[in-house]
Amino acid sequence: NASNEHTLTEVSTACASAPAAPAIQTNDALTLCVGESVTFFSNDPLPTGYSYQWQQNGMDIMGANNAQFTASVAADYSLYMTDGQGCNSSSSTAFSVQSGNVPTYQTSQTANGLTVDFDAFVLGGVTDESIYWSFGNGDSSFMNNPTYTYSEPGTYFVCPTAYNDCGEFGICIPV
């Protein structure tokens, strides 16, 4: 109009009823070994006009808008539904993906006659490392720090092997 007065109309972007947070699942291990990935998916139906949005460490992943997402980096992954206009569901419970490595170890042994105390400290793996000891005479143990008594004196090649979901590492040492 001639007085340059304009009327503004407020546009509401309020969300009347956001959908519930989607549930996400995986059939894969949550520890990524070198070259591996983990696939997440949701079976929750999308409301009309909504799409999925995957997140890595709480940030939207560009182009990750399907019911399924494959991750190859250790991080926290979650999912929400959005209508693209500001109406979003809550985020799902995040899955935490850890990075894993083949374990290594340090060993020491102390002999007292025919009895040997073996000690191992497993390094560089993830939380589920185990160690297997082969005592060089057919006997073995799954204890981390076993004590073993040989029946005859001699040199035995003891072979500790550390292992986890990412692989195994072992060397033999003479005792």
Side-chain angles (χ1 to χ4, degrees), residues 71-142:
S72 58
V73 175
D76 292 336
Y77 293 92
S78 58
L79 175 68
Y80 68 92
M81 296 178 199
T82 181
D83 69 355
Q85 304 297 315
C87 190
N88 302 331
S89 71
S90 297
S91 290
S92 64
T93 300
F95 274 83
S96 185
V97 177
Q98 304 298 313
S99 178
N101 296 305
V102 173
T104 60
Y105 56 81
Q106 295 175 339
T107 63
S108 65
Q109 61 275 346
T110 305
N112 184 4
L114 296 176
T115 300
V116 182
D117 292 323
F118 296 97
D119 293 310
F121 180 69
V122 180
L123 310 164
V126 289
T127 57
D128 294 328
E129 298 92 6
S130 296
I131 193 159
Y132 170 80
W133 293 86
S134 173
F135 296 118
N137 64 354
D139 289 344
S140 60
S141 173
F142 282 98

Side-chain angles (χ1 to χ4, degrees), residues 12 15 17 38-39 53-54 57 61 83 85 102 112 133 146 149 155 157 160 163 172-173:
S12 174
C15 183
S17 61
V38 58
T39 299
Q53 179 59 62
W54 289 93
N57 295 330
I61 302 169
D83 69 355
Q85 304 297 315
V102 173
N112 184 4
W133 293 86
T149 302
T155 299
F157 286 90
Y163 60 94
C172 296
I173 50 176

